Amino acid sequence: MPTPDRTSLADIVAAARQILESEGLPGLTMQAVAQRVGVRAPSLYKRVRNRDDLIRLVTEATVHDLGEQLTVAGSGDPGRDLAELAHAFRAFAHAQPAGYHLIFTSGPADTRPSLDILTRATAPALRLAAELAGPEHALSAARMFTAWANGFISMELAGAFNLGGDLDEAFAFGIDRLTAALTTLDPPRPSFDTGRTPGTTPPRHGRQPRPAE
Amino acid sequence: MPTPDRTSLADIVAAARQILESEGLPGLTMQAVAQRVGVRAPSLYKRVRNRDDLIRLVTEATVHDLGEQLTVAGSGDPGRDLAELAHAFRAFAHAQPAGYHLIFTSGPADTRPSLDILTRATAPALRLAAELAGPEHALSAARMFTAWANGFISMELAGAFNLGGDLDEAFAFGIDRLTAALTTLDPPRPSFDTGRTPGTTPPRHGRQPRPAE
DNA sequence: ACCTGAACACCGTTCAAGT
DNA sequence: ACCTGAACACCGTTCAAGT
C-alpha cells in the first residue's frame, strides 16, 4: 500500500543548494541533505543516483537561475547592455558564491551540467557580442567577455586578488576596456547606432577589421 | 635510537602532485599518498598537519612552478611579451590541469596558498601591464589580463566552451584585443617604443586617458 | 625520532525487511 | 512504492606501543 511521499526531488535539490552555500561542497553530504528534508540518507537514492548526480542537479539548477538573471533588457545600446550583463553576472556570483563556483569548476564528469543548459545561459552574451563585434567575431568576442567576467569573479571569490586596490574599480575598468576592444572591430553599423546615450561607450575609431590570426 | 627516515616532506608533496594529476582531487587521499611514498597513512602526520595542509603545500608548489614558467624574457615589446606570457600561462595549465585548477579555485581556507607566493607569481603580469597601460592603470590592467587568461583557461579545462569553433583562435583573438585595449590607454611613452616589430601590436590612437570611474 | 596497528568517527552506498 | 536499520567499504585522524 503506497504511503504519501515524505519528500521530493525538488525538495532535495533545494536543501542541497542551501547546504552548499552555508557549509561548502565538503559539507554537502547525503546525510546532511537527508536530515534537512526529513528522511534518512538511503531514501535519497530513490530520487538521485548518487552524490555526484545530486551535485550535477544542483549545478544545473544554478545554471538555470543564472540564465534567468542574465536576461538583460536590450536597450538598443550594446555597450550599456554588456555592462549590465557583467554586473548581473557578478551580482549572481556574490549572492550564491558556492553555486556559482560549481558551474565553472572542473570536476568529475558526472557532476558537470548538460551542455545545452549551459548554452542557454550564455546566449545573452553571445547575442550582445554579435551586436558589438559583428557576426564574424561574435563567438570569439563572447568568449572573451565570458572568460574575463568569469575569471574576474572567480579570482575575486577565491581571494586571488591580493594587491589591495578597489575591485569595483578594476571591474568597471574591465567593462570599459572590453567594450572598447570589441567595439572597434568593425566600422559602425548604423542599424545598431540608434538610441545611444552619449558618453556611456567609448567612441568608435572606424579601424579596418584585423585578421583573426 | 633514531632510524633513518623512510620518506620526506618533498617526497610526500611530489607524490601528492602526481596523484592529483592522475586521479583528481577526490583521489588524493592520505592512504594513496602514503602507499606511493612507502609508508602507512598515519606516518604522514609527522610531516603534514592534515589533508588540507597537504593540499595547500601542493598548491603552493604549483604556484611556485607557475611563477617560474611565467618569467618572460622582456623583449622590449610589451605587446609581444604579453602574448608570450599568455601562452606560457595556458601551456602550464594544459601540462598540469588539476594543479592549475587548485590555484584559482576557492576552497577551505587551510588549502589556500599564502598571499605572497601568489603575488610573486603574478609579478610579471603586473610589470607588463605597467609597461602597456602606464603606471596609473597598471593594477587594473594586470587584473584584466589575469582575469581573462585565467577565465579562458578555466573554462577551457572545465569544458564550458561548448559551441564548437577553434579555441586557439579565440585565445589569439583575446590576446590581440586585450593588447589593443590596454595599449590605447595612454599617449605613446617614447621610452617603451623602441624595438617594436611592426604589426605585432595595434597602433596607438593617442586618446586621452579616460576616468577610471 | 619515526613508524605502525588498532581504534574511532564519519561518509557513500547497498539491500533485505518493514509499512 | 517508499522508507528504514543494518551492514560494508572507505577515509581522515589519533594514539599507545613498538623499533
Side-chain angles (χ1 to χ4, degrees), chain A residues 170-182:
Chain A
F171 195 70
F173 176 92
I175 294 175
D176 177 72
R177 295 288 79 211
L178 208 48
T179 309
L182 298 180

Side-chain angles (χ1 to χ4, degrees), chain A residues 94 97 101 150-164 167, chain B residues 63 102-109 112-119 122 143 146 150:
Chain A
H94 286 179
H101 182 248
N150 172 42
F152 189 99
I153 292 163
S154 296
M155 293 181 67
E156 182 183 15
L157 293 181
F161 288 137
N162 51 73
L163 296 178
L167 286 186
Chain B
V63 173
L102 223 43
I103 297 177
F104 289 105
T105 206
S106 47
R112 308 271 51 222
S114 78
L115 291 186
D116 70 304
I117 201 171
L118 258 177
T119 303
T122 49
R143 282 173 170 166
T146 311
N150 172 41

Side-chain angles (χ1 to χ4, degrees), chain B residues 49-168:
Chain B
R49 191 147 33 98
N50 50 33
R51 183 173 179 261
D52 279 355
D53 195 41
L54 177 56
I55 292 175
R56 182 184 56 79
L57 290 168
V58 167
T59 307
E60 290 183 346
T62 311
V63 173
H64 179 264
D65 288 3
L66 175 62
E68 288 200 335
Q69 209 78 20
L70 259 39
T71 317
V72 292
S75 67
D77 178 347
R80 191 201 289 188
D81 289 351
L82 198 75
E84 198 180 318
L85 187 70
H87 284 294
F89 212 67
R90 189 165 177 233
F92 183 89
H94 287 179
Q96 11 189 336
Y100 176 86
H101 182 248
L102 223 43
I103 297 177
F104 289 105
T105 206
S106 47
D110 290 351
T111 68
R112 308 271 51 222
S114 78
L115 291 186
D116 70 304
I117 201 171
L118 258 177
T119 303
R120 242 193 307 273
T122 49
L126 192 60
R127 181 176 53 79
L128 281 177
E131 287 186 33
L132 268 174
E136 189 196 348
H137 297 107
L139 185 55
S140 282
R143 282 173 170 166
M144 184 175 181
F145 169 79
T146 311
W148 167 77
N150 172 41
F152 189 99
I153 293 163
S154 295
M155 292 182 67
E156 182 183 16
L157 294 181
F161 288 136
N162 51 72
L163 296 177
D166 189 342
L167 285 187
D168 291 345

